[in-house]
Amino acid sequence: MKFVGMTALAKVAAVLGCFAAVPAMAQNKVQIRLGHVLAESHSWNVAAKGFAEDVAKATEGRVTIQVFPSGQLGTEKDVVEGLQIGTMQGGVIGSGSFQPIEPRMGIVELPYAWPTREKAFAAFDGEMGTELAKLLAAKNIVVLSWWENGYRHITTKKAPVNKPEDLKGVKIRVTPDKVRLDTFRALGAEPAPLAFGELYSALQQGVFDAQENPLSIIDSSSFADVQKYAALTGHVWGAACLVVSKRIWDQVGPADKEAVLAAAAKWRDEQRKMVTASDQQLVEKLTAKGMTVNKVDPTPFIAAVQPVWKSQEAVYGPALMALLDKYRK
């Protein structure tokens, strides 16, 4: 196998696959159903379809990928659990959603960890991404490449958020992971988890006053219809994983694995470009839809969430924390 030009993460995935692959199955045709929870217009879906097309072409149809957006294959929890046992074949998953099966994945989304997305890219394309991929490999999940979810911001219905005190008593929907829940408790809010597919109706019905997501999701999910204010808090930068189950990866021949990994790297870069290019346009778009968008001074927010960092150091361990510090500073 040639590894020229491959990232460290790609090499790990390729080596893992080669040892597990059965030679007799190398020419078998493999069909992968790949799911995610976001809308068809979101960059995850656009990039996933491009990835699928490139894989089919490069493998001459031996590996085909069918993309299922908008939670058609279930919630992220459903997909993650299915990937472990092989009942799900592939997905684009927000990296924080792996915490129920591997708590150390929470390091991906510590609040205010990444001052720039470029520092995060360097980490996930480097040693940190390799180490996190090993954690998921132990759960029978193969990371093909690290994509972007982007910086998360807060939207509210009743009043704008300018400082942490504005969140006091606000019932906000967050992703179902400990770090995110702890973050918003530290900010004074009343966070609760809810499956993404149920969020729009929950906001519409007033079950929640607020939610937090990247601008691309706020727009593609039409949250401007049910939320009045958007505060650009940037409290979390989130990665996303393009992943497949080890069970399906073992069925892909060595040469086709190289083609899949090359396509995964290409569409990683393309998907990140989509997110970077769209952020300023999305502020203007959301404003045109009637949202009031404001920037915040992050200093008091950063101070408020410091206890979250302290509480998680023992969970992640010194080695991962050292890698985080290496890339973020």
Side-chain angles (χ1 to χ4, degrees), residues 213-232:
N213 261 301
L215 292 175
S216 58
I217 296 178
I218 293 169
D219 175 59
S220 64
S221 301
S222 301
F223 290 153
D225 294 344
V226 289
Q227 298 274 270
K228 173 65 176 173
Y229 304 96
L232 303 182

Side-chain angles (χ1 to χ4, degrees), residues 62-212:
R62 289 184 298 276
V63 180
T64 56
I65 299 167
Q66 187 175 4
V67 181
F68 293 85
S70 304
Q72 292 178 45
L73 298 187
T75 65
E76 288 199 330
K77 180 177 181 290
D78 295 332
V79 176
V80 168
E81 291 175 351
L83 288 168
Q84 285 186 276
I85 60 177
T87 56
M88 292 285 184
Q89 297 164 338
V92 183
I93 308 290
S95 300
S97 292
F98 290 103
Q99 289 178 77
I101 66 167
E102 175 46 80
R104 286 172 288 182
M105 288 296 293
I107 198 170
V108 172
E109 296 187 344
L110 276 169
Y112 293 102
W114 301 106
T116 68
R117 52 176 29 106
E118 289 74 23
K119 287 182 180 291
F121 296 160
F124 288 99
D125 295 341
E127 296 174 73
M128 189 169 182
T130 298
E131 292 305 310
L132 293 173
K134 289 178 182 177
L135 296 179
L136 292 182
K139 306 294 184 181
N140 296 322
I141 297 172
V142 178
V143 178
L144 301 179
S145 61
W146 296 95
W147 292 11
E148 182 176 8
N149 202 6
Y151 283 102
R152 301 180 80 91
H153 306 289
I154 298 169
T155 69
T156 50
K157 183 177 182 179
K158 297 178 180 177
V161 172
N162 289 289
K163 53 189 183 300
E165 290 78 7
D166 295 333
L167 287 167
K168 184 175 177 59
V170 173
K171 190 168 184 182
I172 183 169
R173 178 270 178 184
V174 300
T175 53
D177 62 75
K178 185 178 187 305
V179 172
R180 195 68 51 77
L181 287 161
D182 288 351
T183 294
F184 277 91
R185 290 188 187 110
L187 291 171
E190 296 180 5
L194 183 73
F196 183 80
E198 301 173 31
L199 179 53
Y200 183 92
S201 60
L203 293 170
Q204 187 177 45
Q205 295 165 17
V207 177
F208 288 94
D209 301 315
Q211 66 86 46
E212 47 89 44

